[in-house]
Amino acid sequence: MTNNIERPLDLLNQSKGKEMIVQLKNDKQLVGVLLAFDIHINIVLDNAREIENGEIKKHLGLTFVRGDTIIYISPANIK
Amino acid sequence: MTNNIERPLDLLNQSKGKEMIVQLKNDKQLVGVLLAFDIHINIVLDNAREIENGEIKKHLGLTFVRGDTIIYISPANIK
Amino acid sequence: MTNNIERPLDLLNQSKGKEMIVQLKNDKQLVGVLLAFDIHINIVLDNAREIENGEIKKHLGLTFVRGDTIIYISPANIK
Amino acid sequence: MTNNIERPLDLLNQSKGKEMIVQLKNDKQLVGVLLAFDIHINIVLDNAREIENGEIKKHLGLTFVRGDTIIYISPANIK
Amino acid sequence: MTNNIERPLDLLNQSKGKEMIVQLKNDKQLVGVLLAFDIHINIVLDNAREIENGEIKKHLGLTFVRGDTIIYISPANIK
Amino acid sequence: MTNNIERPLDLLNQSKGKEMIVQLKNDKQLVGVLLAFDIHINIVLDNAREIENGEIKKHLGLTFVRGDTIIYISPANIK
Amino acid sequence: MTNNIERPLDLLNQSKGKEMIVQLKNDKQLVGVLLAFDIHINIVLDNAREIENGEIKKHLGLTFVRGDTIIYISPANIK
């Protein structure tokens, strides 16, 4: 599972098309399917939902997230 | 719907002319029609309104938003 | 009204000589006539006034504002 | 009075030798004669005084101020 | 043990494959096996867990962490 | 006294060997003899002492201070 | 003792192999032997310990510290 990750962005590349959890600096989380990212860690999530205290607060749809607001990105479904 | 998004800025490009929600770091939101953006994610919104706790607080008109204050940008009308 | 805005700075260019509201990150606002800006969104406002809770608190005169303190810039008079 | 300001730094250049108010991000103000500045908006104030709630709290003398702590710079004496 | 550390990134390189504690700016910690890093200190942790007040709060799995949220990275098992 | 200050760093250069007050963003101050600085305003203070509410809290000795934590640098003894 | 410090990084270079106190922006301190640093002031401390209110809270071992979290670095033993 952890093969072929030479650089951090390799993981984001392998995560395209998968549902990911994005932890934001404002204590909220976004969940959605990772479609794209760039070197600033700006990302696009499809079917994004905003999560607060474990509950879905809002459906955001196809969403652009600015990289400097992100703490971590992890899989929604841990294998 | 999610076709042709290779990079995050592709989504912003496809969103020109559409009404978008812009979540700011100060917990407020702006809603307006996306007219322009640059690589810093500075954007221009037409007919912008400031939203706080789900209510329109102010009509701002044609507004320049500095990129480093933005958390995410999502469609006002989820398809 | 929204013609000819290819990039966000085009809006600032068109706004020169107009009275603008500048929302700052510290929750205050400045109002004044936009005279100049640069790519950092450093700006010059003429006849600037500091606004807090909708009231003029101070007359500042011809004022330099550092770009990284700005959230948005919108027209004082919405057409 | 507002002639010849093409770029924001033009205003700082014209303000050399004049007493200016420097609003800091920590809610305090410095007042002093602007002697020098650079593109980071690092500045030198002569005879600087620290102001809090409108009162002089400290005499600082010839002072270097780091640019990223500055919100705005305006004239101490509005013409 | 401390041989061959000429530059800070040398330590991260030697720590690949080891379980590390990552102290975040939001007072939380992540624990996991360091798989990759880059010059921004963006890192990938395998089998990451979020720790708060010394207790595991969440299992995150294979996780990308943005560098600018990190205070320090130390070994989970001190030799 | 204010001669020959073309750029802000000229003042720091003239202040080498003098006792200076360094106001930090965390509301504390350092006092010490300025030995060196660079363009990031990283500085070295000799015989540095940490001041809080006007009192010496700690003797720090020969100290490196990271530039981005500094608000201003002024002389300990105002002429 | 203060000879040969032309630039701030010279002090860090002379401090290699010595026990140093690292003041962090989150009000905590790290103490440990400085092994390496780079121009971002990322550092490596050996035998690092986290200090809060003057007491050792945690033994961290061989630790990488990200530069942008550091306020100052001073000697643990003042000569």
PDB file of all heavy atoms in Angstrom, chain A residues 11-20 22 32-37 42-46 73:
ATOM      1  N   LEU A  11       1.840  10.757  -2.831  1.00  0.00           N
ATOM      2  CA  LEU A  11       0.655  10.230  -2.140  1.00  0.00           C
ATOM      3  C   LEU A  11      -0.603  10.916  -2.649  1.00  0.00           C
ATOM      4  O   LEU A  11      -1.627  10.262  -2.885  1.00  0.00           O
ATOM      5  CB  LEU A  11       0.799  10.426  -0.627  1.00  0.00           C
ATOM      6  CG  LEU A  11      -0.436  10.044   0.185  1.00  0.00           C
ATOM      7  CD1 LEU A  11      -0.843   8.590  -0.045  1.00  0.00           C
ATOM      8  CD2 LEU A  11      -0.215  10.296   1.673  1.00  0.00           C
ATOM      9  N   LEU A  12      -0.536  12.236  -2.823  1.00  0.00           N
ATOM     10  CA  LEU A  12      -1.722  12.935  -3.333  1.00  0.00           C
ATOM     11  C   LEU A  12      -2.051  12.441  -4.739  1.00  0.00           C
ATOM     12  O   LEU A  12      -3.223  12.288  -5.107  1.00  0.00           O
ATOM     13  CB  LEU A  12      -1.483  14.452  -3.322  1.00  0.00           C
ATOM     14  CG  LEU A  12      -1.307  15.075  -1.934  1.00  0.00           C
ATOM     15  CD1 LEU A  12      -1.207  16.597  -2.051  1.00  0.00           C
ATOM     16  CD2 LEU A  12      -2.438  14.690  -0.990  1.00  0.00           C
ATOM     17  N   ASN A  13      -1.023  12.184  -5.524  1.00  0.00           N
ATOM     18  CA  ASN A  13      -1.260  11.688  -6.877  1.00  0.00           C
ATOM     19  C   ASN A  13      -1.980  10.332  -6.853  1.00  0.00           C
ATOM     20  O   ASN A  13      -2.918  10.094  -7.620  1.00  0.00           O
ATOM     21  CB  ASN A  13       0.068  11.579  -7.623  1.00  0.00           C
ATOM     22  CG  ASN A  13      -0.104  11.788  -9.109  1.00  0.00           C
ATOM     23  OD1 ASN A  13      -0.938  12.592  -9.540  1.00  0.00           O
ATOM     24  ND2 ASN A  13       0.675  11.062  -9.899  1.00  0.00           N
ATOM     25  N   GLN A  14      -1.557   9.460  -5.960  1.00  0.00           N
ATOM     26  CA  GLN A  14      -2.181   8.135  -5.844  1.00  0.00           C
ATOM     27  C   GLN A  14      -3.588   8.222  -5.257  1.00  0.00           C
ATOM     28  O   GLN A  14      -4.360   7.265  -5.354  1.00  0.00           O
ATOM     29  CB  GLN A  14      -1.330   7.217  -4.961  1.00  0.00           C
ATOM     30  CG  GLN A  14       0.038   6.868  -5.551  1.00  0.00           C
ATOM     31  CD  GLN A  14       0.878   6.025  -4.608  1.00  0.00           C
ATOM     32  OE1 GLN A  14       0.355   5.398  -3.691  1.00  0.00           O
ATOM     33  NE2 GLN A  14       2.186   6.020  -4.824  1.00  0.00           N
ATOM     34  N   SER A  15      -3.880   9.358  -4.607  1.00  0.00           N
ATOM     35  CA  SER A  15      -5.177   9.496  -3.934  1.00  0.00           C
ATOM     36  C   SER A  15      -6.251  10.091  -4.837  1.00  0.00           C
ATOM     37  O   SER A  15      -7.413  10.217  -4.427  1.00  0.00           O
ATOM     38  CB  SER A  15      -5.021  10.380  -2.682  1.00  0.00           C
ATOM     39  OG  SER A  15      -4.078   9.820  -1.791  1.00  0.00           O
ATOM     40  N   LYS A  16      -5.907  10.469  -6.041  1.00  0.00           N
ATOM     41  CA  LYS A  16      -6.903  11.023  -6.962  1.00  0.00           C
ATOM     42  C   LYS A  16      -8.003   9.987  -7.212  1.00  0.00           C
ATOM     43  O   LYS A  16      -7.725   8.808  -7.430  1.00  0.00           O
ATOM     44  CB  LYS A  16      -6.251  11.405  -8.288  1.00  0.00           C
ATOM     45  CG  LYS A  16      -5.494  12.734  -8.233  1.00  0.00           C
ATOM     46  CD  LYS A  16      -4.970  13.077  -9.632  1.00  0.00           C
ATOM     47  CE  LYS A  16      -4.236  14.398  -9.650  1.00  0.00           C
ATOM     48  NZ  LYS A  16      -3.654  14.651 -11.001  1.00  0.00           N
ATOM     49  N   GLY A  17      -9.239  10.476  -7.144  1.00  0.00           N
ATOM     50  CA  GLY A  17     -10.367   9.586  -7.366  1.00  0.00           C
ATOM     51  C   GLY A  17     -10.845   8.873  -6.111  1.00  0.00           C
ATOM     52  O   GLY A  17     -11.854   8.159  -6.142  1.00  0.00           O
ATOM     53  N   LYS A  18     -10.152   9.106  -5.007  1.00  0.00           N
ATOM     54  CA  LYS A  18     -10.542   8.475  -3.740  1.00  0.00           C
ATOM     55  C   LYS A  18     -11.138   9.510  -2.798  1.00  0.00           C
ATOM     56  O   LYS A  18     -10.813  10.693  -2.865  1.00  0.00           O
ATOM     57  CB  LYS A  18      -9.316   7.826  -3.088  1.00  0.00           C
ATOM     58  CG  LYS A  18      -8.735   6.682  -3.896  1.00  0.00           C
ATOM     59  CD  LYS A  18      -7.520   6.084  -3.219  1.00  0.00           C
ATOM     60  CE  LYS A  18      -6.891   5.025  -4.128  1.00  0.00           C
ATOM     61  NZ  LYS A  18      -5.498   4.708  -3.755  1.00  0.00           N
ATOM     62  N   GLU A  19     -11.994   9.031  -1.900  1.00  0.00           N
ATOM     63  CA  GLU A  19     -12.581   9.942  -0.931  1.00  0.00           C
ATOM     64  C   GLU A  19     -11.582  10.204   0.185  1.00  0.00           C
ATOM     65  O   GLU A  19     -11.051   9.275   0.800  1.00  0.00           O
ATOM     66  CB  GLU A  19     -13.879   9.359  -0.359  1.00  0.00           C
ATOM     67  CG  GLU A  19     -14.656  10.427   0.405  1.00  0.00           C
ATOM     68  CD  GLU A  19     -16.113  10.043   0.582  1.00  0.00           C
ATOM     69  OE1 GLU A  19     -16.375   9.035   1.269  1.00  0.00           O
ATOM     70  OE2 GLU A  19     -16.987  10.737   0.027  1.00  0.00           O
ATOM     71  N   MET A  20     -11.343  11.474   0.455  1.00  0.00           N
ATOM     72  CA  MET A  20     -10.318  11.892   1.412  1.00  0.00           C
ATOM     73  C   MET A  20     -10.931  12.812   2.472  1.00  0.00           C
ATOM     74  O   MET A  20     -11.915  13.520   2.211  1.00  0.00           O
ATOM     75  CB  MET A  20      -9.199  12.659   0.687  1.00  0.00           C
ATOM     76  CG  MET A  20      -8.561  11.917  -0.478  1.00  0.00           C
ATOM     77  SD  MET A  20      -7.760  10.333  -0.040  1.00  0.00           S
ATOM     78  CE  MET A  20      -6.238  10.912   0.738  1.00  0.00           C
ATOM     79  N   VAL A  22     -10.029  16.109   4.676  1.00  0.00           N
ATOM     80  CA  VAL A  22      -9.106  17.245   4.688  1.00  0.00           C
ATOM     81  C   VAL A  22      -9.307  18.009   5.999  1.00  0.00           C
ATOM     82  O   VAL A  22     -10.364  18.612   6.218  1.00  0.00           O
ATOM     83  CB  VAL A  22      -9.347  18.171   3.476  1.00  0.00           C
ATOM     84  CG1 VAL A  22      -8.398  19.372   3.522  1.00  0.00           C
ATOM     85  CG2 VAL A  22      -9.173  17.397   2.174  1.00  0.00           C
ATOM     86  N   GLY A  32     -14.397  14.561   0.699  1.00  0.00           N
ATOM     87  CA  GLY A  32     -14.792  14.551  -0.707  1.00  0.00           C
ATOM     88  C   GLY A  32     -13.793  13.763  -1.525  1.00  0.00           C
ATOM     89  O   GLY A  32     -12.743  13.349  -1.014  1.00  0.00           O
ATOM     90  N   VAL A  33     -14.112  13.602  -2.806  1.00  0.00           N
ATOM     91  CA  VAL A  33     -13.243  12.845  -3.704  1.00  0.00           C
ATOM     92  C   VAL A  33     -12.181  13.789  -4.278  1.00  0.00           C
ATOM     93  O   VAL A  33     -12.514  14.803  -4.902  1.00  0.00           O
ATOM     94  CB  VAL A  33     -14.063  12.210  -4.846  1.00  0.00           C
ATOM     95  CG1 VAL A  33     -13.136  11.514  -5.846  1.00  0.00           C
ATOM     96  CG2 VAL A  33     -15.079  11.230  -4.274  1.00  0.00           C
ATOM     97  N   LEU A  34     -10.913  13.446  -4.072  1.00  0.00           N
ATOM     98  CA  LEU A  34      -9.817  14.297  -4.545  1.00  0.00           C
ATOM     99  C   LEU A  34      -9.720  14.220  -6.068  1.00  0.00           C
ATOM    100  O   LEU A  34      -9.496  13.152  -6.639  1.00  0.00           O
ATOM    101  CB  LEU A  34      -8.487  13.852  -3.916  1.00  0.00           C
ATOM    102  CG  LEU A  34      -7.262  14.697  -4.283  1.00  0.00           C
ATOM    103  CD1 LEU A  34      -7.363  16.081  -3.681  1.00  0.00           C
ATOM    104  CD2 LEU A  34      -5.974  14.018  -3.821  1.00  0.00           C
ATOM    105  N   LEU A  35      -9.875  15.363  -6.712  1.00  0.00           N
ATOM    106  CA  LEU A  35      -9.790  15.390  -8.181  1.00  0.00           C
ATOM    107  C   LEU A  35      -8.474  15.962  -8.693  1.00  0.00           C
ATOM    108  O   LEU A  35      -7.969  15.557  -9.734  1.00  0.00           O
ATOM    109  CB  LEU A  35     -10.935  16.225  -8.764  1.00  0.00           C
ATOM    110  CG  LEU A  35     -12.344  15.678  -8.611  1.00  0.00           C
ATOM    111  CD1 LEU A  35     -13.308  16.535  -9.432  1.00  0.00           C
ATOM    112  CD2 LEU A  35     -12.446  14.226  -9.050  1.00  0.00           C
ATOM    113  N   ALA A  36      -7.925  16.942  -7.964  1.00  0.00           N
ATOM    114  CA  ALA A  36      -6.727  17.624  -8.467  1.00  0.00           C
ATOM    115  C   ALA A  36      -6.017  18.299  -7.313  1.00  0.00           C
ATOM    116  O   ALA A  36      -6.617  18.567  -6.267  1.00  0.00           O
ATOM    117  CB  ALA A  36      -7.119  18.669  -9.520  1.00  0.00           C
ATOM    118  N   PHE A  37      -4.728  18.563  -7.507  1.00  0.00           N
ATOM    119  CA  PHE A  37      -3.931  19.319  -6.530  1.00  0.00           C
ATOM    120  C   PHE A  37      -2.795  19.994  -7.284  1.00  0.00           C
ATOM    121  O   PHE A  37      -2.494  19.653  -8.417  1.00  0.00           O
ATOM    122  CB  PHE A  37      -3.378  18.392  -5.431  1.00  0.00           C
ATOM    123  CG  PHE A  37      -2.367  17.408  -5.935  1.00  0.00           C
ATOM    124  CD1 PHE A  37      -1.012  17.714  -5.932  1.00  0.00           C
ATOM    125  CD2 PHE A  37      -2.760  16.177  -6.433  1.00  0.00           C
ATOM    126  CE1 PHE A  37      -0.072  16.813  -6.415  1.00  0.00           C
ATOM    127  CE2 PHE A  37      -1.834  15.272  -6.923  1.00  0.00           C
ATOM    128  CZ  PHE A  37      -0.489  15.583  -6.920  1.00  0.00           C
ATOM    129  N   ASN A  42      -3.137  23.498  -3.036  1.00  0.00           N
ATOM    130  CA  ASN A  42      -4.507  23.806  -3.446  1.00  0.00           C
ATOM    131  C   ASN A  42      -5.098  22.510  -3.985  1.00  0.00           C
ATOM    132  O   ASN A  42      -4.416  21.764  -4.707  1.00  0.00           O
ATOM    133  CB  ASN A  42      -4.525  24.850  -4.575  1.00  0.00           C
ATOM    134  CG  ASN A  42      -3.984  26.200  -4.139  1.00  0.00           C
ATOM    135  OD1 ASN A  42      -4.230  26.646  -3.025  1.00  0.00           O
ATOM    136  ND2 ASN A  42      -3.251  26.852  -5.031  1.00  0.00           N
ATOM    137  N   ILE A  43      -6.348  22.194  -3.630  1.00  0.00           N
ATOM    138  CA  ILE A  43      -6.943  20.943  -4.096  1.00  0.00           C
ATOM    139  C   ILE A  43      -8.370  21.179  -4.593  1.00  0.00           C
ATOM    140  O   ILE A  43      -8.998  22.203  -4.289  1.00  0.00           O
ATOM    141  CB  ILE A  43      -6.981  19.863  -2.988  1.00  0.00           C
ATOM    142  CG1 ILE A  43      -7.867  20.309  -1.810  1.00  0.00           C
ATOM    143  CG2 ILE A  43      -5.579  19.518  -2.503  1.00  0.00           C
ATOM    144  CD1 ILE A  43      -8.059  19.223  -0.756  1.00  0.00           C
ATOM    145  N   VAL A  44      -8.864  20.222  -5.356  1.00  0.00           N
ATOM    146  CA  VAL A  44     -10.281  20.187  -5.730  1.00  0.00           C
ATOM    147  C   VAL A  44     -10.886  18.911  -5.172  1.00  0.00           C
ATOM    148  O   VAL A  44     -10.345  17.812  -5.370  1.00  0.00           O
ATOM    149  CB  VAL A  44     -10.459  20.225  -7.261  1.00  0.00           C
ATOM    150  CG1 VAL A  44     -11.920  19.976  -7.643  1.00  0.00           C
ATOM    151  CG2 VAL A  44      -9.989  21.573  -7.811  1.00  0.00           C
ATOM    152  N   LEU A  45     -11.990  19.082  -4.457  1.00  0.00           N
ATOM    153  CA  LEU A  45     -12.757  17.947  -3.928  1.00  0.00           C
ATOM    154  C   LEU A  45     -14.111  17.907  -4.619  1.00  0.00           C
ATOM    155  O   LEU A  45     -14.798  18.927  -4.707  1.00  0.00           O
ATOM    156  CB  LEU A  45     -12.986  18.101  -2.423  1.00  0.00           C
ATOM    157  CG  LEU A  45     -11.782  17.997  -1.487  1.00  0.00           C
ATOM    158  CD1 LEU A  45     -12.253  18.192  -0.040  1.00  0.00           C
ATOM    159  CD2 LEU A  45     -11.065  16.664  -1.635  1.00  0.00           C
ATOM    160  N   ASP A  46     -14.497  16.720  -5.064  1.00  0.00           N
ATOM    161  CA  ASP A  46     -15.845  16.567  -5.623  1.00  0.00           C
ATOM    162  C   ASP A  46     -16.774  16.055  -4.520  1.00  0.00           C
ATOM    163  O   ASP A  46     -16.354  15.309  -3.632  1.00  0.00           O
ATOM    164  CB  ASP A  46     -15.819  15.575  -6.793  1.00  0.00           C
ATOM    165  CG  ASP A  46     -17.113  15.664  -7.617  1.00  0.00           C
ATOM    166  OD1 ASP A  46     -17.820  16.692  -7.502  1.00  0.00           O
ATOM    167  OD2 ASP A  46     -17.408  14.724  -8.366  1.00  0.00           O
ATOM    168  N   ILE A  73      -4.250  15.620   5.001  1.00  0.00           N
ATOM    169  CA  ILE A  73      -5.181  14.961   4.084  1.00  0.00           C
ATOM    170  C   ILE A  73      -5.006  13.462   4.286  1.00  0.00           C
ATOM    171  O   ILE A  73      -3.915  12.926   4.106  1.00  0.00           O
ATOM    172  CB  ILE A  73      -4.871  15.333   2.615  1.00  0.00           C
ATOM    173  CG1 ILE A  73      -4.914  16.862   2.425  1.00  0.00           C
ATOM    174  CG2 ILE A  73      -5.833  14.634   1.667  1.00  0.00           C
ATOM    175  CD1 ILE A  73      -4.456  17.332   1.036  1.00  0.00           C
TER     176      ILE A  73
END
